[in-house]
Amino acid sequence: MEFFLHYEKEHKENKVRMTTDFGVIDILLFEETKFHRANFIFLTKQKYFNGTQFYRVIDNFMVQAGNSDDKKTARKRKRIGRYLLPKDTNRGFKHDRGVISMPSSEIDNPHKLASPYEFFIVQQQGGAHYLDGDYTIFGKVINGMDVVDKIAAVDTDEADWPLKNIYIKNVEIIE
């Protein structure tokens, strides 16, 4: 976390543009969640998200991305390193429609530390407020919820994985 404390002071960017197979999603990252904003900017600059997928899609709930069954993604993670982010849920943010939040890691994790490589966007009308307090909200969609809705509407298998892969082609900093 020491790394991200320093990183966030030098890298103040807070808007990213995500180009997907379904269109463009612009995201504002919140200053209040410093570790998570800095982590997302760091991974964007490392080009980590490029080529990852929306791999868990539940219509009228959320779309989750940042992972892939492609070996390139595993190699990127190995190069960047294995770490978790602290839960930061006391900032007053709610899991409203369009917010970006970070899921818990699959690593043995009783404190629900966040997986730095993955994120989800709440798609549900009216939000998913039962998630408040459990997962760190670190941004919101400022343009492109229509794209999120298109992604959420795709056919999935019983594990909520889209039947046709949905890729993040590129994530770039716009501000």
Side-chain angles (χ1 to χ4, degrees):
M1 292 307 93
E2 192 73 24
F3 171 79
F4 286 118
L5 273 177
H6 294 290
Y7 192 87
E8 73 89 17
K9 288 177 181 153
E10 296 173 17
H11 301 268
K12 294 292 187 187
E13 302 94 331
N14 70 344
K15 289 183 185 167
V16 296
R17 174 162 293 147
M18 183 179 304
T19 304
T20 74
D21 287 338
F22 284 69
V24 171
I25 303 168
D26 290 340
I27 298 168
L28 171 68
L29 302 171
F30 297 147
E31 177 66 30
E32 293 88 342
T33 49
K34 294 182 182 312
F35 288 122
H36 298 76
R37 183 191 61 77
N39 174 71
F40 204 88
I41 294 298
F42 172 73
L43 292 177
T44 295
K45 289 182 176 184
Q46 296 291 312
K47 300 192 181 311
Y48 168 76
F49 295 111
N50 300 356
T52 62
Q53 297 169 262
F54 283 89
Y55 66 91
R56 185 171 177 233
V57 172
I58 303 172
D59 194 17
N60 198 34
F61 176 39
M62 62 92 210
V63 297
Q64 190 164 330
N67 205 341
S68 174
D69 53 5
D70 189 323
K71 290 183 173 133
K72 289 180 198 169
T73 300
R75 284 195 295 274
K76 286 181 194 179
R77 285 183 179 204
K78 186 173 184 177
R79 177 179 50 81
I80 294 168
R82 187 173 163 143
Y83 61 99
L84 297 174
L85 295 173
K87 190 164 84 167
D88 190 359
T89 58
N90 296 322
R91 304 291 177 182
F93 300 121
K94 304 285 184 207
H95 280 88
D96 295 325
R97 176 174 161 80
V99 301
I100 312 298
S101 193
M102 204 166 275
S104 298
S105 169
E106 294 176 7
I107 300 169
D108 184 25
N109 191 5
H111 302 291
K112 291 195 175 187
L113 298 175
S115 172
Y117 296 108
E118 299 167 30
F119 61 92
F120 64 91
I121 302 171
V122 176
Q123 185 256 343
Q124 184 172 336
Q125 293 291 343
H129 298 128
Y130 55 90
L131 300 175
D132 295 348
D134 286 335
Y135 305 97
T136 301
I137 297 165
F138 66 99
K140 69 179 180 180
V141 173
I142 54 174
N143 184 38
M145 274 308 291
D146 58 323
V147 175
V148 174
D149 289 337
K150 288 178 195 172
I151 293 168
V154 301
D155 291 330
T156 60
D157 64 16
E158 51 285 339
D160 303 318
W161 192 286
L163 295 180
K164 185 173 185 261
N165 289 340
I166 303 168
Y167 288 96
I168 296 173
K169 296 176 181 181
N170 184 52
V171 178
E172 62 186 329
I173 294 164
I174 56 175
E175 230 175 274

